[in-house]
Amino acid sequence: MTPLSRRHILELPTFALMGEAPAPAARAFAVAEPDRWVKTVCRYCGTGCGVYVGVKGNTVTAVKGDERNHNAGFVCIKGAMLPQILTSPSRLTHPLIRRGGKLVRASWEEAMALVAARFQETIERHGPEAVAFYGSGQALTEETWVANKLMKAGIRSNNIDGNPRLCMASAAGGYISSFGKDEPMGCYEDIDHADVYFLVGSNAAEAHPILYQRMLRRKERAPDTKLIVVDPRRTRTMQYADLTLLPKPGMDLSIVNAMAHVIFKEGLADLEFLRQHVTYGAGAEANKTIEDYRTFLEAYTPQRAAADSGCRVEDIVQAARWFGERGRATMSMWTMGVNQRIQGVWLNNILNNLHLITGKIGLPGSTPFSLTGQPNACGGVRDGGALSHLLPYGRLVANEQHRRQMEELWGVSAGTINPKPGPSAVELFQAVESGTIKAVYVMTTNPGHSLPNASRYRKAMASEDCFLVVAEAYHPTRTSELADVVLPAALWVEKEGVYGCTERRYQLLEKAIQPPGEARPDFDILCDLARRLGHGKLIPYKTPAEAWEDILKASKGTAYDFSGMTRERLRAAHGLLWPLPEGNHPGTKRRYVRGDDPLVGASHAQRVRFYGRSDNKAVVWLRDQKPPAEVTDADYPMSLTTGRVLEHWHTATMTGSVPALRPLNLEAVAELHPADLKRLNLKDGDRIRLVSRRGKLTLVARETENAREGSVFVHMHDPERLVNVLTIDALDPGSKEPEFKIAAVRIEKE
Ligand SMILES: Nc1nc2c(c(=O)[nH]1)N[C@H]1C(S)=C(S)[C@@H](COP(=O)(O)OP(=O)(O)OC[C@H]3O[C@@H](n4cnc5c(=O)[nH]c(N)nc54)[C@H](O)[C@@H]3O)O[C@H]1N2
Ligand SMILES: Nc1nc2c(c(=O)[nH]1)N[C@H]1C(S)=C(S)[C@@H](COP(=O)(O)OP(=O)(O)OC[C@H]3O[C@@H](n4cnc5c(=O)[nH]c(N)nc54)[C@H](O)[C@@H]3O)O[C@H]1N2
Ligand code: SF4
Ligand SMILES: [Mo]
């Protein structure tokens, strides 16, 4: 493996910067000496780095990493350049209403009156299920709380979902089926204790750079620390890997099952742990035995996995040995290469299995740790229960007792909440297409760009039969261009609220400056809408802090209990990890662990208690490898995968506004292996057409050894070249998450 030095780390493409001694980029952004520093959180990824913004007058002139937060003063290139997203010329500063086919300037009163009237009229004529809300893992917790309460308790519709369905739904489904409750049990500190990192479908060097850098720091200190990366492409994350497996897209369940096979065969399983803490299941039922599981694993020999995945037998065995070796702490991390698959939940389950069968769970450095994408997917939408089948803090729409609890907390009469779960994200837009949903409010997400099979849903959103409201910080976007009303939203430090990141860490973002023009915080806009729809009593809040009081109460007594996280404590702390019940509890690094998690009980006989399920056990699931939804064939012989680059954020409304980032990598290109180019008689720089069963896209071909032969990678960020016209809207049957990562395409020369 490549030797690591301090110099290597500092020269990493991730470009991490120390906050204290301003590194070049940080200084570049101290465009004027700030008058004051305000503590907040990075706007971008689910790493949730703490930052301070430097403010002069009403302008953010600098940013630096928070040394007392988990990121220890580091921020990545996107974080360092945050101030410029606030002042982009494309910031929307006043409402827009569509008149005669064109979006024209309107007053707030006109815009809000129109939105309220159209929603009211639609509900009266067609019922509450004719309207919908589509939210985001980037909205603040209090904003999401208001939207969820308004929809489920006020309008009495479960037609509320959000972009975490495109992202974390399979991880949530995996945690719930394996452990009874959502959310990871480990913490970032585990990175400092792990001896093995097992990364599957995660390009952390680009997507979670500060966590990746923390892994490298550990490797530098403890050179025997192993990094294993499983990804069909050769990624930047593999630069420092000790073992790389490059499976055929979609064929890595066989690898993970084969690792379990080897772990048992070589005596690396922790049979005592299994006896105490584990039950077994297949399908949806936990009704199997360890013998059933071992019989199931017999078929998954390393030879079979090698044949399925195209990886080498030795590498699969090596991965299993490093993972399972006694005395080594092992941390798995995974992201969209696992979740965005029709087998997403199943692959999550079997990654959890590896930790259960080795007992490498709930110990320093040993944990199954799904990395979250968005900064508040955990805190706002998953924990807050703002998906169509959920209610806040682990409660379910379909569970009568849970509905009663929320009705009481929300102060509405019993029977108010509709017992039928609403549609998931993609299904919601299918209902727009079919005309059952006639009005949609979209907030802090850009579905006209980010949905799979996008042309289909763009057409539905643009239709005369759909009244589309978009709350946005910028205009035009690929969604605001389709809207009937666009509401200008305050952004990031122009408002206040809570974000909850990957490790159950909740943090307060303080308001630092006033929003530009007439832009308003989403919280205020939603409260205004609630009042206009006659739900002022239900949504009486004047400030996000008032809503937070209700949120604390709703968490109390649940498996999420963070009722001790008062505004004051959040303001003083540099992040707090739940469970954190009322009182002076310091918070929980490792969930389910005796002596750390207050919900386990100090006198519990064993070191862990998986209290998410009533039998206090976790489930090892028998999950078979299946093919992806769309396999390649003679007409569509290449496999398309999509994802991210370091410098850009999703639909690039923010990073595309930063002059230093805009020129870097924003144009989507088709990354192809030299052998494929040769076979197709193409060369680097040629214009080509990618054709799938759903659409066509013209791009420049880029030759790279990093591509997998037979596969093409296109990033998702370019608003002018929407890769989602090609992707497939096939869904995981459990999580309803789309298979963004695998589609069949052919390549034509332009
Ligand atoms: N710079 C940047 N960082 C971000 C974001 C961003 O937009 N830009 N977005 C944030 C969000 S919301 C998210 S969800 C995360 C996503 O973070 P990641 O999931 O790490 O990023 P992706 O590039 O979407 O996909 C990861 C990898 O999955 C691989 N993959 C594709 N198919 C398969 C397969 O069949 N098996 C396996 N094992 N791997 C496969 C792809 O080749 C890709 O390298 O990033 C977060 N961080
Ligand atoms: N092909 C392909 N498609 C994908 C994926 C993939 O890997 N491949 N990944 C999927 C995943 S994991 C995700 S998370 C989604 C992300 O997809 P989106 O959520 O659609 O992408 P973003 O660009 O993050 O959209 C956030 C929008 O909110 C706006 N905004 C920012 N701050 C505020 C605010 O405070 N208030 C309001 N009202 N608006 C604000 C931004 O300008 C931006 O337009 O994409 C999904 N789509
Ligand atoms: S790693 Fe994520 S949260 Fe941290 S600075 Fe970079 S984009 Fe922001
Ligand atoms: Mo995501």
Side-chain angles (χ1 to χ4, degrees):
M1 116 180 190
T2 333
L4 259 179
S5 68
R6 177 97 186 124
R7 186 180 59 80
H8 273 102
I9 290 173
L10 291 174
E11 282 178 8
L12 267 183
T14 52
F15 197 56
L17 304 165
M18 274 296 269
E20 177 69 333
R27 212 173 319 135
F29 283 95
V31 286
E33 193 57 34
D35 304 330
R36 59 199 166 95
W37 290 96
V38 179
K39 180 163 73 67
T40 184
V41 183
C42 174
R43 173 58 185 76
Y44 293 115
C45 85
T47 303
C49 294
V51 299
Y52 280 90
V53 292
V55 182
K56 189 178 174 64
N58 195 47
T59 310
V60 172
T61 59
V63 68
K64 65 176 181 187
D66 179 354
E67 302 221 0
R68 294 175 63 195
N69 211 314
H70 70 82
N71 50 308
F74 289 101
V75 288
C76 78
I77 187 169
K78 289 185 301 306
M81 298 193 180
L82 269 166
Q84 298 185 341
I85 68 172
L86 298 164
T87 52
S88 161
S90 51
R91 282 301 298 274
L92 181 64
T93 54
H94 51 73
L96 299 169
I97 289 180
R98 192 171 293 279
R99 288 207 174 101
K102 282 213 171 67
L103 284 166
V104 296
R105 181 170 185 160
S107 70
W108 268 108
E109 183 49 41
E110 283 171 299
M112 291 308 291
L114 176 63
V115 174
R118 287 296 296 267
F119 267 68
Q120 196 66 49
E121 191 184 291
T122 308
I123 295 164
E124 274 161 23
R125 276 218 223 136
H126 306 282
E129 283 169 52
V131 299
F133 180 89
Y134 186 61
S136 169
Q138 299 167 62
L140 296 162
T141 300
E142 298 86 339
E143 295 166 354
T144 296
W145 169 266
V146 168
N148 202 22
K149 189 176 182 190
L150 173 62
M151 286 300 293
K152 287 176 181 152
I155 294 171
R156 301 180 65 183
S157 168
N158 294 328
N159 291 356
I160 167 166
D161 217 69
N163 62 5
R165 187 75 78 169
L166 312 179
C167 178
M168 301 314 302
S170 298
Y175 279 127
I176 292 167
S177 44
S178 296
F179 302 102
K181 292 286 177 214
D182 187 17
E183 294 299 352
M185 62 206 71
C187 59
Y188 293 154
E189 220 181 275
D190 284 320
I191 296 174
D192 307 335
H193 300 287
D195 302 304
V196 179
Y197 303 116
F198 183 52
L199 265 61
V200 186
S202 157
N203 185 11
E206 301 201 57
H208 296 91
I210 294 300
L211 298 181
Y212 184 67
Q213 195 211 27
R214 193 159 173 173
M215 293 176 229
L216 297 189
R217 289 213 304 275
R218 163 76 179 160
K219 271 175 80 62
E220 189 185 32
R221 277 196 311 276
D224 194 36
T225 310
K226 305 294 185 198
L227 172 61
I228 310 169
V229 184
V230 186
D231 192 308
R233 294 189 300 144
R234 215 168 267 292
T235 63
R236 280 190 184 180
T237 304
M238 290 178 182
Q239 193 180 351
Y240 295 101
D242 300 276
L243 178 62
T244 56
L245 289 101
L246 293 99
K248 283 183 201 148
M251 298 309 285
D252 41 11
L253 278 84
S254 284
I255 295 176
V256 177
N257 278 334
M259 286 170 67
H261 174 109
V262 173
I263 284 167
F264 273 103
K265 199 167 142 214
E266 303 202 350
L268 300 173
D270 185 339
L271 299 175
E272 187 50 33
F273 186 89
L274 287 171
R275 251 191 305 281
Q276 282 177 355
H277 300 293
V278 167
T279 175
Y280 301 82
E285 300 276 330
N287 57 2
K288 298 281 174 192
T289 62
I290 187 164
E291 288 75 30
D292 295 329
Y293 180 51
R294 297 195 64 169
T295 309
F296 163 85
L297 288 180
E298 269 167 32
Y300 286 94
T301 59
Q303 289 71 18
R304 144 94 190 265
D308 283 355
S309 66
C311 295
R312 301 187 324 161
V313 172
E314 310 83 278
D315 293 345
I316 297 167
V317 172
Q318 180 67 76
R321 286 185 183 150
W322 278 347
F323 192 111
E325 201 179 308
R326 280 175 206 264
R328 275 182 179 274
T330 302
M331 187 167 183
S332 302
M333 284 171 265
W334 65 92
T335 326
M336 292 309 120
V338 169
N339 294 345
Q340 290 172 338
R341 310 255 300 271
I342 57 163
Q343 288 204 282
V345 176
W346 284 23
L347 184 46
N348 269 273
N349 284 148
I350 65 175
L351 287 165
N352 293 333
N353 285 356
L354 290 182
H355 289 271
L356 290 167
I357 64 173
T358 53
K360 295 193 180 199
I361 190 162
L363 292 167
S366 280
T367 193
F369 198 65
S370 132
L371 299 178
T372 302
Q374 299 176 90
N376 200 29
C378 293
V381 177
R382 285 163 73 178
D383 307 351
L387 294 177
S388 58
H389 65 299
L390 295 179
L391 290 169
Y393 307 110
R395 300 176 178 95
L396 298 171
V397 160
N399 180 312
E400 183 170 359
Q401 205 193 337
H402 293 173
R403 290 197 305 278
R404 292 295 165 270
Q405 287 170 4
M406 282 319 300
E407 285 159 353
E408 220 162 89
L409 283 158
W410 278 337
V412 294
S413 52
T416 299
I417 301 172
N418 184 338
K420 194 172 146 265
S424 69
V426 170
E427 295 166 333
L428 189 156
F429 289 96
Q430 283 167 355
V432 173
E433 180 184 53
S434 68
T436 11
I437 291 178
K438 298 175 192 301
V440 189
Y441 188 108
V442 172
M443 185 181 90
T444 322
T445 178
N446 193 354
H449 181 135
S450 60
L451 287 170
N453 194 4
S455 304
R456 176 175 175 193
Y457 304 111
R458 288 178 55 78
K459 191 165 161 224
M461 279 183 260
S463 146
E464 298 253 305
D465 301 330
C466 169
F467 179 69
L468 181 69
V469 182
V470 177
E472 241 309 334
Y474 304 88
H475 179 75
T477 73
R478 298 310 307 266
T479 310
S480 74
E481 68 183 4
L482 309 173
D484 296 287
V485 178
V486 191
L487 303 172
L491 181 70
W492 188 42
V493 290
E494 296 162 0
K495 56 184 181 177
E496 174 196 303
V498 173
Y499 266 1
C501 70
T502 297
E503 58 163 358
R504 294 170 282 103
R505 174 185 293 262
Y506 282 12
Q507 348 198 35
L508 183 67
L509 286 80
E510 306 259 17
K511 179 173 172 174
I513 57 168
Q514 294 298 335
E518 297 172 22
R520 292 166 73 189
D522 289 296
F523 186 86
D524 296 0
I525 307 174
L526 289 168
C527 292
D528 183 356
L529 178 63
R531 276 191 297 275
R532 288 172 192 262
L533 292 175
H535 299 296
K537 216 172 121 233
L538 187 72
I539 314 281
Y541 313 120
K542 289 191 193 64
T543 62
E546 285 178 18
W548 187 250
E549 293 298 313
D550 281 0
I551 294 170
L552 293 184
K553 283 185 207 130
S555 83
K556 197 177 152 108
T558 71
Y560 293 73
D561 198 337
F562 55 89
S563 51
M565 274 192 212
T566 58
R567 223 55 179 180
E568 295 69 42
R569 276 195 76 183
L570 282 169
R571 193 158 276 132
H574 299 255
L576 294 168
L577 279 67
W578 57 263
L580 192 156
E582 267 174 318
N584 295 322
H585 195 273
T588 304
K589 281 186 189 162
R590 294 184 188 87
R591 199 180 179 199
Y592 305 132
V593 175
R594 183 185 60 200
D596 195 348
D597 182 340
L599 307 185
V600 170
S603 59
H604 186 66
Q606 276 106 25
R607 70 170 180 85
V608 295
R609 182 161 79 86
F610 295 117
Y611 56 75
R613 287 169 44 90
S614 54
D615 60 1
N616 288 321
K617 290 196 168 180
V619 187
V620 160
W621 291 99
L622 286 56
R623 300 301 197 204
D624 272 310
Q625 171 74 65
K626 291 185 179 168
E630 193 173 58
V631 287
T632 52
D633 58 20
D635 291 335
Y636 300 93
M638 300 281 292
S639 181
L640 168 74
T641 194
T642 64
R644 291 155 173 81
V645 299
L646 172 71
E647 301 86 349
H648 289 288
W649 179 258
H650 298 157
T651 70
T653 56
M654 292 183 277
T655 46
S657 296
V658 176
L661 294 179
R662 194 175 170 79
L664 305 176
N665 261 334
L666 183 53
E667 181 184 338
V669 294
E671 295 185 11
L672 286 157
H673 193 271
D676 286 319
L677 284 177
K678 194 158 171 235
R679 188 174 46 77
L680 292 162
N681 204 13
L682 292 166
K683 56 181 190 324
D684 182 78
D686 280 353
R687 285 172 72 77
I688 58 168
R689 197 161 43 234
L690 293 186
V691 186
S692 81
R693 287 187 177 80
R694 296 153 294 280
K696 292 183 180 122
L697 181 65
T698 299
L699 298 170
V700 164
R702 173 69 26 85
E703 178 172 342
T704 164
E705 298 276 352
N706 295 337
R708 183 178 215 289
E709 219 180 312
S711 288
V712 48
F713 174 81
V714 182
H715 77 56
M716 64 171 292
H717 306 295
D718 188 346
E720 286 164 32
R721 297 167 194 82
L722 291 184
V723 72
N724 277 325
V725 304
L726 303 172
T727 51
I728 190 166
D729 44 0
L731 306 180
D732 178 298
S735 66
K736 307 288 172 75
E737 177 156 343
E739 190 153 72
F740 282 113
K741 286 293 180 265
I742 310 170
V745 294
R746 75 166 163 264
I747 293 178
E748 296 171 353
K749 188 153 185 180
E750 268 270 293

